[in-house]
Amino acid sequence: MKKFLFSISVLFGICVHVSGQNKQLLYDFNEIPQSLMVNPGVVTDFDWYSGVPLLSGLSFQAGSSGISVNDIFADDGIDVNVKIRERAILGMSPSDELSGTYQVELLNFGFRGANPSVFYSLGLYHEGDAIGYWFKDYAILAVEGNADKLNQRFDLGHLRTRGEMLNVFHFGVNKKVNSQLTIGGRAKVYSSILDFNSTGNSGYFVTTEGQNNIFASTINANMELRTSGAASLSNAQDDGNLASTFLKRGLFGGNLGVGVDLGFSYNFNEQTILTASVLDLGFIYHTDNVRSYTLNGSATVEGVEIILPDALADPNRDFWQDLVDEIETFVPFERNSESYISFRPTKLNASLRYNFGKQLPTRVDCDCKTAFRSGGFPPRYTNGIGGQLYMINRPRGPQMALSAFYLRRLGNAMAIKTTYTVDKFSYTNVGLGLNLQAGPVNLYVLADNLLAYRNLADSRYASLQFGLNIISWGRN
Amino acid sequence: MLRTYLLFGLIILNSCVEKQDFDQFDEISLQPELEASVLYVTAPEALINLAPAANFYAQDFNFDAFNEDYFAERVIEGSITYLVENTTSKELEVSVQFLDDTDTVLDTEIFTVPAAPTPILEREIAYGNGGRSIEIIRNTSSIRVIASNLGDSTSISDLPEPMITLRSSGRFRLLVR
């Protein structure tokens, strides 16, 4: 067995767990232990499982709701500047986003407790997440400028972004309350390495007809950028100790937070299951290495103004510097180190599944765990069909995705799940997941947005997950 | 099972990427055109009449907008538009000179406006791209304004609040990329 595991580990090199924020293929795919990470209240029948330590997860996901690589760089003979103007500058809206997530799972294992109706899971993963909305008016200013745009307000609120890097230590409890209900919770401690957010900006820049001079330029700003850890990492890079600083901040040496995942599965009857979970209901309190920047105020200028005879009073007056000082007084750019709280991007999942077809034999060892068996598990059927809802809290409000899925089990050795998902990235997102069980070895591959593989450059969203676990049902 | 493996393999491995031309990145051009007021000067006729000499105002003043590094390194062309309005009873001359940091005159624009009633004098001076040298703009660090009375120093216009007013705005294209 050890040789087999070693071979598998070497073969895969790394157990990659690539996932977007929406893990609709993994959700309620309870053959896979990682489904506990998206619903701590999922129905589990494992005795224990373990991901390969340090090799159990590397993930990357990126999505762009407004534009694809192909839109700009297709070899189509169209001037790239025309494409940028028509497809990006004018074609995208401020609600379009570019977002990315990665996850590196360092430890993940679970075991059934002395009370066999309780399953524990715990581990540690590293996560990075960032989102930036299309800063449309900034882009128009940068590309076209403000000439010939009299009275057009450039919305400074178009700058909305947030991002973070952190380690998450977690411990989950999954409890089968009775034959119908399973509940679960996962406590999380966040160790923030880096955080930045600028999400509550408002204001505008506008050029209007001047009162005295030809034009009046007005800025009205209420902007803030909050960061923690950035200065520390920047200094560490200069000092050549980036890795150790990164590690230290990720192991409780940075800013800390707490959170919780909650979930349940409820069987209306043998064939109909309702599930729901809320993930990352938590926050991080940033007190260490905080650097925040604000730009607040309002000012209107009409160039250097020399009004006689007043200007004769001080012949040495520096009108230009006065103008600069006036702007800085009315719209001060300030820095501070005040502590702040950042809330994690909370996710909500829910599903309703109807099972049908043949019942499958149980995988649980029938010679032990009597109490565990006594409550009984809902029978597993060869087919399952249903719908899922996903929501995530984002800087511009909640985002939602709806999925329809079909699950097919081929004995206890293989299960296939396919999904069709509609969200802001795509209306044609078809995903396919495959779970294989070869003795104790569990391998799964989940691929999202498969139609985009016809031309990856034209894809606005892609997600691929695969992983490797060792699972025991008590008879391995 | 094998067929399912193959299905996955085919989907993932047979994914395609249509031909992309990333050399287009080098062709991306950012040339915003910025517009803002530059200089506003006004003097009432009463002040002009009180001046002991015809040259009633002459002053150099610091103006760093054009030679700020970001602007000076990227400006490629543009223009300055002047509007000169004279509601006084006398002919006036306003001279605007751009000076570098050694006080060398780089450019001079003279506006002679007849006594009121007279239309607003509008003049646009182009720099770069066939106009005057854009180096004038890049090197300007101060502006000299000289205003002279070419008429008498006793008359008063019938118009309300008679004065000489010079308004100006700049419109410049920057080569950001």
Side-chain angles (χ1 to χ4, degrees):
Chain A
M1 175 58 78
K2 284 182 180 174
K3 282 185 179 177
F4 175 74
L5 291 178
F6 179 73
S7 302
I8 291 290
S9 301
V10 171
L11 179 65
F12 284 90
I14 192 163
C15 170
V16 181
H17 174 212
V18 179
S19 61
Q21 290 278 37
N22 185 6
K23 298 175 179 174
Q24 72 272 36
L25 280 162
L26 182 61
Y27 186 78
D28 205 32
F29 201 162
N30 60 2
E31 274 78 2
I32 303 169
Q34 273 74 12
S35 62
L36 277 161
M37 299 301 292
V38 285
N39 181 6
V42 74
V43 174
T44 60
D45 58 0
F46 316 125
D47 190 45
W48 61 267
Y49 76 86
S50 175
V52 179
L54 296 177
L55 302 177
S56 63
L58 171 66
S59 76
F60 174 78
Q61 170 270 334
S64 164
S65 65
I67 202 164
S68 68
V69 172
N70 192 66
D71 288 336
I72 301 298
F73 292 106
D75 191 9
D76 52 12
I78 302 172
D79 185 340
V80 67
N81 293 296
V82 172
K83 289 189 279 188
I84 288 174
R85 178 181 159 72
E86 292 181 353
R87 299 172 187 176
I89 305 293
L90 302 178
M92 292 169 66
S93 80
S95 61
D96 283 320
E97 69 175 65
L98 177 65
S99 58
T101 302
Y102 72 90
Q103 222 177 62
V104 180
E105 215 169 65
L106 305 173
L107 287 172
N108 190 0
F109 59 95
F111 59 94
R112 198 157 294 282
N115 176 354
S117 66
V118 178
F119 190 82
Y120 302 98
S121 59
L122 64 157
L124 162 64
Y125 63 87
H126 171 76
E127 180 180 319
D129 175 56
I131 182 170
Y133 287 90
W134 178 236
F135 40 90
K136 181 169 185 158
D137 280 7
Y138 291 83
I140 292 173
L141 260 180
V143 173
E144 298 183 350
N146 69 328
D148 296 326
K149 292 183 169 57
L150 205 63
N151 299 320
Q152 179 176 330
R153 285 190 176 195
F154 294 92
D155 189 347
L156 303 182
H158 285 186
L159 176 62
R160 287 194 187 203
T161 184
R162 66 171 299 279
E164 60 186 339
M165 293 168 74
L166 69 162
N167 284 346
V168 182
F169 300 79
H170 59 89
F171 176 75
V173 179
N174 176 281
K175 163 80 173 169
K176 187 162 72 70
V177 178
N178 54 43
S179 59
Q180 285 186 299
L181 179 64
T182 301
I183 59 172
R186 182 176 305 284
K188 291 180 168 178
V189 175
Y190 306 115
S191 182
S192 172
I193 299 164
L194 167 71
D195 180 84
F196 66 88
N197 64 75
S198 182
T199 57
N201 300 318
S202 62
Y204 60 86
F205 170 76
V206 65
T207 304
T208 55
E209 194 173 317
Q211 247 181 347
N212 290 332
N213 213 335
I214 299 173
F215 298 120
S217 304
T218 300
I219 184 169
N220 182 312
N222 180 17
M223 305 180 73
E224 183 176 32
L225 169 66
R226 303 186 299 189
T227 74
S228 79
S232 173
L233 293 176
S234 176
N235 293 338
Q237 187 171 25
D238 294 342
D239 298 340
N241 56 4
L242 182 61
S244 61
T245 303
F246 194 91
L247 197 63
K248 180 186 163 194
R249 293 189 67 81
L251 296 174
F252 306 111
N255 293 295
L256 301 179
V258 291
V260 66
D261 298 349
L262 299 169
F264 73 88
S265 298
Y266 182 79
N267 281 63
F268 290 108
N269 52 50
E270 281 196 350
Q271 291 174 279
T272 309
I273 302 174
L274 174 70
T275 75
S277 70
V278 58
L279 308 177
D280 282 322
L281 195 60
F283 66 90
I284 298 171
Y285 187 44
H286 300 269
T287 57
D288 175 68
N289 202 237
V290 173
R291 303 280 188 281
S292 295
Y293 308 89
T294 60
L295 187 69
N296 289 315
S298 180
T300 298
V301 296
E302 298 188 19
V304 171
E305 295 186 83
I306 300 167
I307 299 171
L308 301 176
D310 300 350
L312 297 172
D314 180 7
N316 297 319
R317 183 177 166 190
D318 188 335
F319 291 96
W320 171 253
Q321 193 57 48
D322 288 351
L323 182 67
V324 172
D325 292 345
E326 184 183 317
I327 295 170
E328 289 179 349
T329 300
F330 287 111
V331 194
F333 177 72
E334 294 178 318
R335 302 171 194 195
N336 67 69
S337 301
E338 293 171 14
S339 303
Y340 68 93
I341 289 174
S342 67
F343 290 95
R344 299 240 53 222
T346 301
K347 279 85 74 177
L348 176 73
N349 289 285
S351 76
L352 184 64
R353 173 153 53 113
Y354 176 71
N355 295 320
F356 59 97
K358 291 181 183 174
Q359 285 193 23
L360 293 171
T362 179
R363 295 176 295 192
V364 179
D365 180 5
C366 295
D367 297 328
C368 63
K369 307 287 188 187
T370 307
F372 170 43
R373 288 199 316 273
S374 62
F377 278 105
R380 297 164 63 248
Y381 288 81
T382 51
N383 301 284
I385 193 167
Q388 291 175 193
L389 168 72
Y390 167 80
M391 292 180 77
I392 182 170
N393 188 30
R394 286 302 203 185
R396 282 193 183 275
Q399 286 177 13
M400 191 171 75
L402 282 171
S403 301
F405 69 87
Y406 171 66
L407 178 70
R408 171 74 179 174
R409 293 189 175 96
L410 302 170
N412 282 329
M414 188 165 86
I416 297 169
K417 183 178 179 182
T418 184
T419 55
Y420 169 69
T421 302
V422 177
D423 61 15
K424 72 182 292 186
F425 296 106
S426 172
Y427 293 146
T428 56
N429 181 352
V430 175
L432 189 62
L434 169 66
N435 179 71
L436 292 171
Q437 193 68 44
V441 179
N442 167 255
L443 172 69
Y444 68 90
V445 183
L446 312 173
D448 216 357
N449 205 16
L450 294 177
L451 297 180
Y453 283 73
R454 291 174 300 183
N455 180 12
L456 277 176
D458 202 26
S459 171
R460 293 178 180 178
Y461 177 79
S463 168
L464 176 68
Q465 308 172 57
F466 44 89
L468 184 66
N469 297 290
I470 308 302
I471 301 177
S472 169
W473 284 271
R475 52 182 162 187
N476 301 128
Chain B
M1 185 181 292
L2 183 61
R3 277 186 295 184
T4 310
Y5 268 127
L6 287 174
L7 173 65
F8 251 103
L10 284 171
I11 288 170
I12 304 301
L13 297 177
N14 286 341
S15 60
C16 302
V17 178
E18 276 184 16
K19 188 181 177 190
Q20 305 293 302
D21 178 10
F22 290 107
D23 289 341
Q24 292 178 90
F25 185 81
D26 298 329
E27 298 165 18
I28 294 175
S29 172
L30 287 183
Q31 295 188 24
E33 203 166 0
L34 306 178
E35 194 169 54
S37 288
V38 175
L39 178 66
Y40 172 80
V41 183
T42 185
E45 185 166 23
L47 176 77
I48 298 168
N49 284 340
L50 285 172
N55 183 345
F56 64 89
Y57 182 69
Q59 186 70 45
D60 293 0
F61 51 88
N62 177 34
F63 191 81
D64 289 330
F66 292 158
N67 70 350
E68 288 283 348
D69 287 346
Y70 186 87
F71 182 86
E73 289 167 7
R74 291 167 178 81
V75 64
I76 51 174
E77 62 172 324
S79 64
I80 295 180
T81 298
Y82 298 92
L83 299 176
V84 185
E85 184 177 13
N86 182 11
T87 57
T88 72
S89 61
K90 50 201 51 104
E91 184 180 18
L92 300 170
E93 181 183 278
V94 179
S95 166
V96 177
Q97 297 178 343
F98 291 166
L99 314 177
D100 67 11
D101 52 11
T102 63
D103 287 343
T104 302
V105 176
L106 303 174
D107 195 21
T108 300
E109 197 58 37
I110 297 172
F111 305 91
T112 304
V113 280
T118 182
I120 294 173
L121 171 63
E122 179 172 352
R123 189 178 299 168
E124 182 177 345
I125 310 298
Y127 296 89
N129 195 25
R132 297 178 190 175
S133 171
I134 195 65
E135 294 303 320
I136 294 169
I137 297 299
R138 288 178 177 149
N139 294 309
T140 294
S141 66
S142 60
I143 296 177
R144 175 178 294 158
V145 176
I146 302 170
S148 304
N149 180 359
L150 304 183
D152 67 82
S153 57
T154 54
S155 63
I156 294 287
S157 169
D158 295 334
L159 295 172
E161 298 183 27
M163 61 180 66
I164 175 82
T165 303
L166 179 142
R167 300 179 176 88
S168 64
S169 67
R171 177 181 176 131
F172 294 99
R173 183 180 300 280
L174 308 187
L175 180 59
V176 176
R177 181 190 152 77

